[in-house]
Amino acid sequence: MLRLPRTSLHPETTAAFCDGESAASWATSTHTIIDLSSEIEGGDEDWPESEDRLAAIVPVRESLAAGDQRLLYLAWLLTVQHVEHEDDVPEPPVPAGLKTLPRPLRALTEFLRLDDDLLAVAASASAPLPARKAPSKAALARWVKALPESDKDAALLRLLHDDGPGARTELLHRFRGTTTHPSTPTTRTAGTLREAAEARWSDRR
């Protein structure tokens, strides 16, 4: 489960992806919560090693707060794998960068047992991540100067309280104005993705 402030991740955003049993989401008055699960019949003999894998997944929270929707798409793909959607359910926009997942997201796919063939088929429609330059101090200074006093006070309180990394990520996301992880609309459906994954598996066999 992941919990983020609503200011970093809006409930409507997660609802478009996490609408099944293995991937669900809901919201409180202040936070958005994502619940991801993966189970196998008879339990998991490898469970004692899972704590290390969970630690490897933790960084995905910060990238999600920064606007990276790859985690949300992977959550939707998990519901497709578990046949929690009808075949005609349309695929959400495919985020960039699925072909080159960072280590935390790769750890998440392994922990959730996301099918490699399904992921490869889905990633075929994913564009490369655009290059991103770090903002200059001068540009940041001009932007901070133009912020309302109430926004500055709220950001300082969060930095001094208990959400320093989250506050920094949110502010940088606001500074950039739009998501740095663009998505590509497609005409695919849950059914066509499952069929393509089965065909890829058959070809490999």
Side-chain angles (χ1 to χ4, degrees):
M1 297 178 69
L2 297 169
R3 187 184 73 162
L4 288 86
R6 291 173 64 119
T7 53
S8 299
L9 183 62
H10 199 277
E12 290 184 3
T13 301
T14 60
F17 295 90
C18 304
D19 58 350
E21 294 181 8
S22 54
S25 68
W26 65 92
T28 68
S29 59
T30 57
H31 288 82
T32 301
I33 297 96
I34 299 173
D35 186 356
L36 307 176
S37 62
S38 176
E39 299 179 7
I40 58 174
E41 187 175 351
D44 190 346
E45 296 179 357
D46 196 32
W47 180 249
E49 300 179 7
S50 295
E51 290 185 4
D52 292 337
R53 282 185 281 172
L54 284 172
I57 293 170
V58 169
V60 301
R61 182 181 182 277
E62 184 174 349
S63 60
L64 181 59
D68 185 350
Q69 293 192 351
R70 285 179 290 183
L71 181 148
L72 297 178
Y73 181 86
L74 293 174
W76 181 81
L77 207 60
L78 185 66
T79 64
V80 172
Q81 177 177 314
H82 292 170
V83 197
E84 296 172 14
H85 293 296
E86 298 293 334
D87 286 347
D88 59 352
V89 170
E91 176 186 31
V94 182
L98 282 181
K99 296 176 184 176
T100 54
L101 293 177
R103 185 171 299 178
L105 282 176
R106 174 56 64 179
L108 177 67
T109 64
E110 294 173 355
F111 187 77
L112 296 176
R113 304 179 183 91
L114 190 60
D115 182 72
D116 287 336
D117 291 310
L118 183 60
L119 178 56
V121 167
S124 65
S126 176
L129 278 177
R132 185 178 69 178
K133 294 182 179 180
S136 66
K137 289 185 177 181
L140 285 173
R142 289 192 297 270
W143 182 77
V144 169
K145 187 176 182 179
L147 280 176
E149 290 295 328
S150 58
D151 287 2
K152 296 178 185 179
D153 291 344
L156 281 173
L157 283 172
R158 287 183 61 188
L159 286 168
L160 292 172
H161 192 239
D162 59 357
D163 195 22
R168 179 181 183 277
T169 298
E170 180 184 334
L171 286 171
L172 285 174
H173 188 45
R174 287 181 57 189
F175 167 77
R176 294 188 175 101
T178 57
T179 179
T180 55
H181 299 80
S183 299
T184 303
T186 73
T187 58
R188 302 186 299 188
T189 64
T192 58
L193 285 172
R194 282 193 288 262
E195 291 176 2
E198 292 174 1
R200 188 178 189 273
W201 175 85
S202 180
D203 289 343
R204 289 196 300 103
R205 294 286 291 180

